[in-house]
Amino acid sequence: MKKLLLIFLSVLMFSCVDGPEIIDCFVIPPLNDTTVCIEIYEPVCGCNDVTYDNECYAEKSGVSFWIEGECLD
């Protein structure tokens, strides 16, 4: 049973990503807009194809998933 669950979770995890594109993406309203993010530029590309200065800004914006680096045009 544990093996089956592990296989299912692995398939589910990899089925969300098709190359560099994200299939399942959602942006939720920020829960806490008093969060303060540090001013270090470590760009991430949100699943909504928006480049954020760092993970904190992506998370603060309510993005569900991101990858390291700037978004490609």
Side-chain angles (χ1 to χ4, degrees), residues 8 19 21-22 28-29 32 35 40 42 45 48 51 63 69 72:
F8 174 74
E21 295 182 37
I22 308 302
I28 58 171
N32 181 4
T35 301
I40 295 178
E42 294 177 346
C45 180
N48 58 349
T51 299
V63 176
L72 302 176

Side-chain angles (χ1 to χ4, degrees), residues 33-45:
D33 47 32
T34 61
T35 301
V36 177
C37 296
I38 57 174
E39 296 296 324
I40 295 178
Y41 189 68
E42 294 177 346
V44 295
C45 180

Side-chain angles (χ1 to χ4, degrees), residues 19-30:
E21 295 182 37
I22 308 302
I23 295 171
D24 295 328
C25 176
F26 57 91
V27 179
I28 58 171

